[in-house]
Amino acid sequence: MTQPIDIKAFLDQDEKKDLLRLLTAGSVDDGKSTLIGRLLFDSKRLYEDQLAALQRDSKRVGHAGEDIDYALLLDGLKAEREQGITIDVAYRYFSTNKRKFIIADTPGHEQYTRNMVTGASTANLAIILIDATKGVITQTRRHTFLVSLLGIKHVVLAVNKMDLIDFDEQVFNDICEDYKNFVAQLDIPDVNYIPLSALKGDNVVDRSERMDWYKGKAMLEFLESVHISSDRNLDDLRYPVQYVLRPDRDFRGFSARIASGVVRQGEEIMVLPSKKRSTIKSITTYDGELDEAFPPQAVTITLNDEVDVSRGDMIVYPDNLPRMERHFEATVVWMDEKPMDPTIQFFIKHANNNTKVRIDTIKYKTDVNTLQKSEVDFLELNEIGRAVLTTNKPLFFDPYKKNKNTGAFVLIHPVTNNTVAVGMIIDKLSADDLPSKISDQHRELIRKGKGLISDNEYQARYNQKGATLWVTGLHGSGKNEFAFSLEKQLFDMGATVVLLDGSSVRSGLSKELDYSPTDRAEHLRRVAEVSRLLNDQGIITICSFISPDEAIRKQVTDIIGEDRFHLFSMDASMEFCKKNKPEFYADKTIKYVPGVDVPFETPEDAALKLDPEDNGKNPELVIEYIRKKLIFPIK
């Protein structure tokens, strides 16, 4: 007598099965959809009505002659069935006694690159199909490159249509050798090779008797046994807070899906960006509390201390921090019909963090067919390039190769809200590559006293408090280079900013004044009055002046207001200044030179002391300062 089935026990067992996400990719008509359809058919995962519809449709619109066209199980669009190709990504779920599967059937055409990237973004394994009659072709290389780009660690090269070459072992070996030579230059650690005939069923579910020379596993057996659990990053705790849960006054938890690492009750953690520390009080789920949790679990954690945590913050272990940067390099896949406009400030969605971002440069575009690199100013639909990006506030990220969840992002158009691109972070920029580094062209403009921003570019872009950023330092200390560079970066970030420097003001507003101590005091008083008026209108002013006397600086502070006045000192030695401006200091006819004829009182109360030897990074220090002071951006 047949024992009754325990439904609950069956469902519990099914719930505990491992899940494998995989994709199929290959050239047009290599048999991707046919392979998946055959897997479903031979593993008896089709319902009777599906099977009846498949047999009926095979006779009506099939492309397999008298055989069943298994591709029709996945090619659901009318255009796909008419042309016998895959256009959109088709997802299919099935399970065996050993594992659950989600299969993404991706298109092979180059024009549908973005569709393939979408399907591959969550995959653990990729099946690259090759037509045994054609061998390794351009599309094979393109798909393998995309798989490598997206960090998929397991690849199966499925040499299909072996029946058309009479199951010849030598042809299979030649194809494998050709593919090995190509894949060696890519970062794919696990590559396997399986000969099969999807249409006839050879080596799909069961080992083929017609290829007794092949000693490996059939496709389904391999998919059931491939080891993927070690692919997860369980070393680096990354907990990007999605929601602050406050059901009542006695409970305050932080909900998120664990991106990587293991979170344990009682462990000390750090909250970014505040860097406040606490310990895990509890790990709560719908089913009760846990001692520890790991990806991809969604949990709510509580802390033992009252720490300010909000959406977009990240909880990590103090001795294992992610990168915290505004500048980074990334591989970008452009997915919008309209070409990239580098002048637009896009929104970037990274983990649970959102902010604005600009694309500083496109270093190069990679041809997905030949892997050749070329210089371009922008990307178009389906093109892939390496770009330098700068965000308005720091992101907490890891390189994509190390951590997919904290290394991936999407770009969103600020007007249409369309997802225009996806990106994989390579790493932060080195100091030499920072976009804040002053170019020779900008340095020449600064020497001539010209601004880096044209008059037509100024417009109302308010998300700030009116404030004065006052830069003091000797002749030749590098304060002008710093001030002009800072103005350019703040403008690029969306700030409304005006720069006042000594040469410009003395050529007009203070034209009749000389450099005597009395006239210098009047000169700086006028600058302070102008700056105060601009601050009253919500504008940030950057003032680059020697201002050698502490008493005069105190007068300027009183005019502008202590809450608006922020002093920065270029900490340059006289030796550095003379080397930077030898003609000026060699001219003995110039009087009242601070540090030479008259004293220069170095400020002791400066908000920051800036090193002129590191002028490429100095603007970044000030931008971080005004961000913390909520001068800009406020939100």
Side-chain angles (χ1 to χ4, degrees):
M1 183 177 178
T2 305
Q3 292 291 328
I5 298 175
D6 187 338
I7 298 297
K8 185 176 184 307
F10 173 79
L11 293 175
D12 288 343
Q13 182 186 3
D14 189 68
E15 183 69 25
K16 293 176 183 177
K17 289 180 187 175
D18 192 15
L19 173 65
L20 175 67
R21 295 176 178 269
L22 63 122
L23 71 92
T24 57
S27 182
V28 179
D29 203 32
D30 275 352
K32 300 180 298 297
S33 301
T34 303
L35 173 61
I36 299 174
R38 189 81 202 203
L39 271 173
L40 296 173
F41 180 84
D42 282 1
S43 60
K44 298 178 174 55
R45 302 297 163 182
L46 296 179
Y47 296 109
E48 290 184 0
D49 58 335
Q50 290 177 307
L51 187 56
L54 176 63
Q55 292 171 336
R56 182 178 64 251
D57 291 344
S58 294
K59 295 177 181 178
R60 185 168 57 91
V61 293
H63 295 80
E66 296 299 320
D67 296 316
I68 294 177
D69 189 352
Y70 300 101
L72 297 178
L73 285 168
L74 288 96
D75 292 339
L77 298 179
K78 182 180 179 182
E80 292 177 321
R81 292 190 166 205
E82 288 175 349
Q83 300 176 51
I85 63 171
T86 300
I87 296 175
D88 199 8
V89 181
Y91 293 95
R92 286 295 181 270
Y93 169 87
F94 77 100
S95 68
T96 65
N97 294 331
K98 297 180 180 179
R99 182 173 259 171
K100 294 182 286 188
F101 301 91
I102 296 178
I103 306 178
D105 183 23
T106 60
H109 291 68
E110 184 176 357
Q111 71 190 85
Y112 302 123
T113 297
R114 61 176 175 178
N115 303 56
M116 180 181 170
V117 170
T118 302
S121 60
T122 58
N124 309 112
L125 178 145
I127 300 175
I128 307 290
L129 274 93
I130 287 182
D131 187 332
T133 63
K134 299 176 182 177
V136 177
I137 58 175
T138 300
Q139 287 91 330
T140 309
R141 296 184 176 92
R142 179 174 78 245
H143 297 145
T144 306
F145 169 67
L146 291 174
V147 164
S148 171
L149 190 71
L150 289 159
I152 297 175
K153 297 181 179 180
H154 307 278
V155 169
V156 178
L157 186 74
V159 182
N160 192 24
K161 303 187 180 181
M162 291 294 292
D163 54 305
L164 298 182
I165 59 167
D166 295 326
F167 306 99
D168 191 324
E169 180 183 6
Q170 188 58 47
V171 174
F172 172 74
N173 290 336
D174 291 343
I175 291 173
C176 293
E177 191 62 32
D178 191 8
Y179 187 79
K180 286 176 184 177
N181 293 333
F182 171 74
V183 82
Q185 58 188 307
L186 302 175
D187 186 19
I188 303 177
D190 180 30
V191 183
N192 295 271
Y193 304 87
I194 300 177
L196 54 84
S197 171
L199 186 64
K200 304 297 184 181
D202 294 272
N203 278 343
V204 177
V205 171
D206 299 312
R207 288 274 301 275
S208 172
E209 295 180 357
R210 293 186 282 189
M211 287 182 279
D212 53 3
W213 46 265
Y214 171 69
K215 305 303 180 183
K217 298 177 181 178
M219 179 63 73
L220 183 59
E221 184 184 0
F222 175 81
L223 296 178
E224 286 181 325
S225 59
V226 63
H227 184 66
I228 61 166
S229 58
S230 60
D231 295 347
R232 295 175 183 167
N233 184 335
L234 299 177
D235 299 324
D236 309 312
L237 175 63
R238 304 290 183 258
Y239 190 85
V241 176
Q242 180 177 351
Y243 184 69
V244 179
L245 189 62
R246 195 77 187 265
D248 55 56
R249 66 180 184 177
D250 298 324
F251 185 91
R252 185 167 182 262
F254 311 107
S255 303
R257 181 185 295 273
I258 301 172
S260 64
V262 179
V263 58
R264 296 181 178 88
Q265 191 174 351
E267 289 279 0
E268 184 184 29
I269 56 90
M270 177 183 287
V271 179
L272 301 177
S274 68
K275 295 190 177 180
K276 298 291 184 183
R277 299 192 182 205
S278 184
T279 53
I280 302 292
K281 181 179 180 182
S282 67
I283 305 170
T284 307
T285 68
Y286 178 79
D287 297 318
E289 293 195 1
L290 303 174
D291 292 329
E292 64 179 27
F294 49 85
Q297 287 179 296
V299 300
T300 299
I301 66 173
T302 61
L303 304 178
N304 283 312
D305 304 285
E306 289 294 329
V307 179
D308 182 19
V309 183
S310 53
R311 177 182 170 87
D313 291 354
M314 183 175 283
I315 294 175
V316 299
Y317 287 139
D319 59 349
N320 187 340
L321 301 179
R323 310 280 201 272
M324 291 176 281
E325 303 286 342
R326 291 179 51 243
H327 304 290
F328 56 88
E329 276 189 280
T331 301
V332 174
V333 182
W334 194 253
M335 305 179 76
D336 197 30
E337 300 284 349
K338 295 181 179 179
M340 174 193 292
D341 182 354
T343 64
I344 294 177
Q345 274 206 333
F346 298 99
F347 287 106
I348 183 172
K349 179 170 174 54
H350 170 264
N352 291 321
N353 215 338
N354 297 296
T355 186
K356 284 190 173 181
V357 64
R358 72 172 187 265
I359 300 171
D360 292 314
T361 57
I362 303 294
K363 286 197 166 184
Y364 55 79
K365 179 186 78 172
T366 303
D367 188 311
V368 294
N369 294 323
T370 64
L371 304 189
Q372 289 184 339
K373 299 169 183 176
S374 57
E375 292 187 5
V376 293
D377 295 324
F378 58 89
L379 299 176
E380 298 190 63
L381 177 64
N382 292 320
E383 290 186 339
I384 298 173
R386 183 165 178 161
V388 175
L389 298 95
T390 299
T391 57
N392 275 14
K393 65 179 182 181
L395 298 182
F396 320 120
F397 64 84
D398 299 286
Y400 183 81
K401 285 186 178 180
K402 181 180 179 183
N403 196 327
K404 281 188 178 184
N405 290 321
T406 57
F409 62 87
V410 297
L411 298 183
I412 301 168
H413 196 282
V415 177
T416 64
N417 280 331
N418 289 338
T419 298
V420 296
V422 297
M424 288 72 71
I425 297 174
I426 297 168
D427 210 337
K428 66 178 183 179
L429 288 181
S430 65
D432 292 337
D433 292 331
L434 284 172
S436 59
K437 198 171 180 67
I438 303 170
S439 67
D440 292 337
Q441 182 182 4
H442 286 173
R443 187 173 285 110
E444 185 62 29
L445 288 172
I446 294 170
R447 285 198 185 102
K448 294 177 181 178
K450 296 181 180 179
L452 305 181
I453 305 165
S454 68
D455 294 339
N456 294 332
E457 288 179 292
Y458 282 111
Q459 54 183 313
R461 294 168 65 173
Y462 292 96
N463 180 26
Q464 63 189 36
K465 296 175 183 176
T468 295
L469 310 180
W470 193 280
V471 188
T472 182
L474 294 168
H475 280 291
S477 63
K479 62 183 182 300
N480 270 12
E481 287 185 1
F482 160 75
F484 276 89
S485 183
L486 176 62
E487 179 203 26
K488 181 68 169 69
Q489 288 192 58
L490 284 174
F491 180 85
D492 287 342
M493 291 171 63
T496 304
V497 58
V498 170
L499 172 65
L500 302 173
D501 72 289
S503 299
S504 300
V505 175
R506 282 191 175 277
S507 66
L509 186 63
S510 299
K511 190 174 184 179
E512 81 283 9
L513 301 178
D514 60 24
Y515 292 89
S516 66
T518 302
D519 279 6
R520 188 188 299 277
E522 173 58 16
H523 166 61
L524 294 177
R525 186 195 65 79
R526 295 179 185 182
V527 172
E529 294 288 355
V530 171
S531 188
R532 181 182 62 81
L533 291 173
L534 292 171
N535 289 169
D536 286 343
Q537 298 174 52
I539 296 172
I540 295 173
T541 57
I542 302 171
C543 300
S544 177
F545 296 91
I546 297 176
S547 47
D549 300 319
E550 182 63 32
I552 295 176
R553 290 196 293 264
K554 179 67 170 64
Q555 182 185 6
V556 168
T557 304
D558 293 339
I559 293 171
I560 294 172
E562 284 191 12
D563 58 328
R564 291 178 172 177
F565 185 82
H566 304 270
L567 181 63
F568 305 96
S569 172
M570 294 301 297
D571 192 15
S573 65
M574 180 58 69
E575 182 183 356
F576 176 92
C577 297
K578 287 182 177 180
K579 186 177 180 181
N580 201 22
K581 281 197 172 183
E583 300 88 357
F584 176 86
Y585 284 99
D587 190 345
K588 301 302 182 182
T589 63
I590 302 176
K591 296 182 178 181
Y592 308 116
V593 178
V596 179
D597 300 323
V598 294
F600 179 87
E601 298 175 1
T602 303
E604 299 297 331
D605 58 344
L608 290 175
K609 287 190 176 182
L610 304 173
D611 182 3
E613 299 279 5
D614 207 10
N615 239 357
K617 280 188 175 180
N618 284 335
E620 282 294 310
L621 299 176
V622 176
I623 289 171
E624 179 64 14
Y625 170 87
I626 65 175
R627 187 184 69 82
K628 288 181 177 179
K629 291 287 184 180
L630 295 180
I631 296 170
F632 174 79
I634 295 174
K635 299 178 182 177

